[in-house]
Structures are given as C-alpha cells and as structure tokens.
Amino acid sequence: MARITAGVASSHIPALGASIDNGKTAEPYWASCFAGFDWTRAWEAAQKPDVVILVFNDHASAFDMNIIPTFAIGCGERYASADEGWGPRPVPDVIGDPDLAWHIAQSCILDEFDMTIVNTMDVDHGLTVPLSLMFGQPEAWPCKVVPLAVNVVTYPPPTGNRCYALGEAIARAVASYPEDLNVQIWGTGGMSHQLQGPRAGLINAEWDQRFLDDLTADPQRLRHIPHIEYLRETGSEGIELVMWLIMRGALGAGVKELHRHYHVPASNTAVGHIVLEPTD
Amino acid sequence: MSEPSKQDIHAYLEELEDIPGTRVFTAARARKGYWLNQFCMTLMKADNRERFRADERAYLDEWPMTEAQKQAVLKRDYNAALDEGGNIYFLAKVFFTDEISFLQAVGTMTGMSPADYQAMMLAGGRSPVGVRSKKDPY
C-alpha cells in the first residue's frame, strides 16, 4: 500500500531558483539562506521518495484570468518548465504519476472535494524551486511528482480549514492506493511577504515562528486562522501559508519536527522551511 | 471534521479594504483588470516580448485596455497598475521583460529609494506595527 512518510514545507521564491541556476548560492547574500536546505538534501537522498505530492500555487503561468480553479490536480505524464518572462528555468521536465494522481482525484471527489483535473500545463517557480532546494541540480528529478495547484491569487482563496481537510482526504486517498509507494507531501510558498504597494516588504518573524511551532504543537489553531489575519500580520502574499495546511492535514494527528530553517530576507520575503514526520 | 465557517461575504470583502498600502485582488479588481492582466500573460512568449520592446504603445493598443491601464504600463507605475486591476503576479511578466527582479520592481511601489528598500529588507523587513489596519492602526 502507498503511504505518506513525511511532510516538507518551504517558501518557493523565484530569486532562489535564479540564484541556483546562475551559480550564485555561495555568494554572501545567499549562502546562509541555502545552508538551511543542506540537511534536507542529504535526508531526501536517503529517503528516496517514489512520489512527491507537491502543493503549490501557479503564479499566472498555467492559469490566467480565464480559468481559476481553487484546487487543481495534475494528472498528466510530464510537465515542462514555464516561461515566466525570462525564459524557462533550465531544469528537467517534471514527471507525473497519472495513475496515482487520477486515484487521488477520484477519491477526493467522492470525499466531497471538487478537484479540477489538469492534464497539460507548464509548471512555474512555485513548483520547480522547491524541487531544486530539496534535490539540487540532477539530470532528472529523482522521483515522480503529482502537482496540486491551489488558487491563492484571486480572492477568496480556500480557507485554511478547507485546506487542512483536503490534506486529510489526500491521506485517505493515498492509503487506499494498492501500489507500494513511499509518498511525501510538500506544502510550498509562504512565510511573511508582501510584494505590492506602499506596504511592500512586510516581514513578521514572530508570527512566522509561531506558525512553524504550531505545525506540531497546535495545528488545530492554524486551520482556523482567517484570511484577514494572514493579510494583516504576514503581508498580502503570506496567504500562501494555507497551502502548508494541506501538507499538515495529510500527516495525521501527531508529527515530529525533524528540521527547521528560517531566514530573512531572500529578495522581499522570509524563507521558512520545515520537515515533519508522522508519528501515528 | 470541524464546523465549516459561515462567513458573511460583505463583511469579508469590507475587511480586505482595511489594510494600509494594500490592494487585495478581489473579484472587483479582477474584473476591472481583466485585459491588463491578460496582456501581461502574452509576455510569456519571447516573440511577444520582442514585439512589446520594439513598440510598447502599438503592442498595448492591440488589447482592449483602458488608457489608464496603458499609461500605468508605459510609465511602469505599478501602484497605478494595481489601482487599475492589475495583479502583481501578472505584472511580473512586465518587469521580467524589463529584466529587473522582484526586489527591484517591488521597491518602486514603496516610495523608498532602491538602496533604502534593500537596506530595510536586510535589516529584517518592514514591521507590521502600525500598518495592520487603516481604521484602527495598531
């Protein structure tokens, strides 16, 4: 049977991808930020997941103003890197797992989550930067990926509570998949940042650290944080943290924190990163 | 399963307008900015970026955008673009076409010099104290 063995969360800042692609990770500005991912790269090399369910938000790349799905699951064979305006990132194509993805889609729909099925899309930095952070620069990504895109751009995005419950439904779907697979779930994006307007540059390290604490200590509190609190406390793009709650919901009641990293700033944002293991 | 929230949509939307220096991308803004944002999407193709660079005005005139939207793009006035319904992830296609970073572009919206904005970020960013609410600053 397939099983979810770990949850990983990380910010997915485009400048991190550009830094990796241009060989700048050792520069003073970036070195301490990237050092926080060294532990995870070594751990992932040992874990060898078969599949990563990668929760991310599309940044107006695959989805424009014509189609705005709240939850979209990639059921395709492969996904190319998107051209976001400076050419596609020079990273391998992302290989999907259509059988598992369709299984999750069907199971979640019967579980009353109205998933949008996507077979063709290019994937932007929201998906490819976390892969680079956790796996480095291989010739091919070492595992299959099921992309799960969440609308956090056009309001309202889903509530944190809904996201957490979707994670629980994904866990049920994975547990009912007959193939013996080591599956991880990643929640990406987030931590405090605001990319727009006179209030741009907002960082709330205290709030961020409490969110990281409560992924293990009090996840039930996190699922009831209203959108307005993310906006006031963590900036307009801090709303991306609801995606971490899909990851957390999929891990079950108890988790152990294996690794944590927090760094300010990378470009305009706080970098948060955590690795969790289910304990029951 | 916990109880689903019963959110009053009017109260929800009103609160979103209460944050200083912030335009939350609501349905009203999405409707207003539809063509501005769709124009931005066309810059995901290298050929279009070249055509835009060659004659920005002519390229913009191919889209049913308002004059205010076109001026916001021509002037790279991103606060004005947000007021006209632009969304930062769509507008990013413009500043990537200009080959400037998120850090450089975002800083232009704050009224700070690029150096001061960068220095603020290096010092830990902008504090939320006093910029959480327009009605009741705290």
Side-chain angles (χ1 to χ4, degrees):
Chain A
M1 301 292 272
R3 64 211 179 280
I4 293 177
T5 57
V8 175
S10 172
S11 307
H12 59 204
I13 301 144
L16 294 177
S19 179
I20 292 167
D21 299 340
N22 296 311
K24 294 182 176 173
T25 59
E27 289 185 359
Y29 181 85
W30 294 111
S32 57
C33 176
F34 281 102
F37 295 93
D38 290 345
W39 183 92
T40 312
R41 270 200 307 285
W43 173 81
E44 286 287 7
Q47 291 289 306
K48 295 186 169 53
D50 298 303
V51 184
V52 167
I53 300 168
L54 206 161
V55 182
F56 74 112
N57 65 292
D58 178 77
H59 302 77
S61 300
F63 305 119
D64 59 14
M65 290 314 297
N66 287 326
I67 303 178
I68 308 170
T70 295
F71 297 122
I73 185 165
C75 296
E77 299 278 354
R78 65 195 300 139
Y79 311 92
S81 175
D83 182 344
E84 300 180 56
W86 71 91
R89 285 195 65 210
V91 293
D93 278 3
V94 172
I95 305 303
D97 187 337
D99 289 334
L100 175 63
W102 273 111
H103 173 81
I104 293 170
Q106 294 173 95
S107 180
C108 285
I109 290 167
L110 289 177
D111 228 346
E112 303 184 348
F113 288 88
D114 306 314
M115 310 299 290
T116 299
I117 312 298
V118 180
N119 284 303
T120 304
M121 66 174 166
D122 290 347
V123 289
D124 69 19
H125 71 269
L127 187 134
T128 63
V129 166
L131 288 172
S132 299
L133 292 170
M134 308 314 158
F135 295 138
Q137 295 175 286
E139 290 286 310
W141 298 120
C143 64
K144 294 179 176 177
V145 174
V146 173
L148 200 161
V150 180
N151 168 47
V152 288
V153 175
T154 306
Y155 273 69
T159 63
N161 188 49
R162 186 70 173 157
C163 288
Y164 196 98
L166 175 61
E168 294 175 319
I170 289 168
R172 288 191 288 273
V174 170
S176 65
Y177 191 66
E179 197 177 335
D180 182 32
L181 292 177
N182 175 2
V183 178
Q184 292 186 358
I185 183 162
W186 297 4
T188 75
M191 290 282 117
S192 55
H193 61 307
Q194 172 148 342
L195 305 177
Q196 54 135 321
R199 190 178 180 253
L202 189 129
I203 300 286
N204 189 342
E206 193 180 338
W207 197 100
D208 287 344
Q209 290 284 5
R210 188 166 172 229
F211 188 95
L212 289 164
D213 289 344
D214 283 349
L215 285 169
T216 51
D218 192 4
Q220 298 305 315
R221 177 185 79 84
L222 301 183
R223 67 194 292 178
H224 297 295
I225 296 170
H227 291 159
I228 192 70
E229 181 174 334
Y230 288 105
L231 286 158
R232 290 195 199 283
E233 298 291 339
T234 70
S236 48
E237 279 64 47
I239 192 67
E240 293 177 358
L241 280 166
V242 297
M243 295 187 291
W244 293 29
L245 298 180
I246 297 176
M247 175 279 289
R248 180 62 191 86
L251 298 181
V255 295
K256 180 182 171 193
E257 180 180 320
L258 300 182
H259 176 67
R260 183 194 296 203
H261 173 49
Y262 185 80
H263 175 85
V264 178
S267 185
N268 303 279
T269 85
V271 177
H273 170 46
I274 196 163
V275 180
L276 302 172
E277 186 176 69
T279 56
D280 51 17
Chain B
M1 186 100 85
S2 60
E3 276 294 299
S5 62
K6 301 288 191 293
Q7 178 81 56
D8 176 330
I9 184 64
H10 303 292
Y12 176 90
L13 292 173
E14 189 182 332
E15 273 193 311
L16 299 184
E17 301 305 319
D18 181 47
I19 302 171
T22 305
R23 285 83 154 174
V24 179
F25 196 58
T26 55
R29 290 196 176 88
R31 272 173 59 76
K32 184 176 184 182
Y34 180 83
W35 283 112
L36 170 57
N37 290 318
Q38 292 301 78
F39 142 74
C40 292
M41 294 300 288
T42 68
L43 299 178
M44 292 178 70
K45 292 194 169 73
D47 291 353
N48 290 341
R49 291 195 288 271
E50 286 309 314
R51 287 206 300 123
F52 176 67
R53 285 190 192 109
D55 187 340
E56 295 191 1
R57 178 78 213 193
Y59 191 88
L60 288 166
D61 283 342
E62 293 176 23
W63 307 98
M65 296 161 60
T66 65
E67 184 59 27
Q69 290 174 334
K70 292 176 188 176
Q71 288 300 326
V73 173
L74 290 169
K75 293 174 181 163
R76 304 299 194 268
D77 182 343
Y78 290 110
N79 282 327
L82 293 171
D83 285 337
E84 297 304 321
N87 173 274
I88 196 63
Y89 290 131
F90 291 77
L91 296 169
K93 317 305 182 201
V94 179
F95 56 76
F96 290 148
T97 297
D98 290 341
E99 298 182 345
I100 68 169
S101 70
F102 248 108
L103 183 75
Q104 292 167 305
V106 165
T108 67
M109 292 183 273
T110 62
M112 302 171 75
S113 71
D116 286 350
Y117 184 74
Q118 176 126 32
M120 178 182 78
M121 294 315 304
L122 286 170
R126 183 188 305 281
S127 166
V129 174
V131 291
R132 293 180 171 101
S133 168
K134 289 183 195 170
K135 279 188 304 208
D136 185 19
Y138 67 102

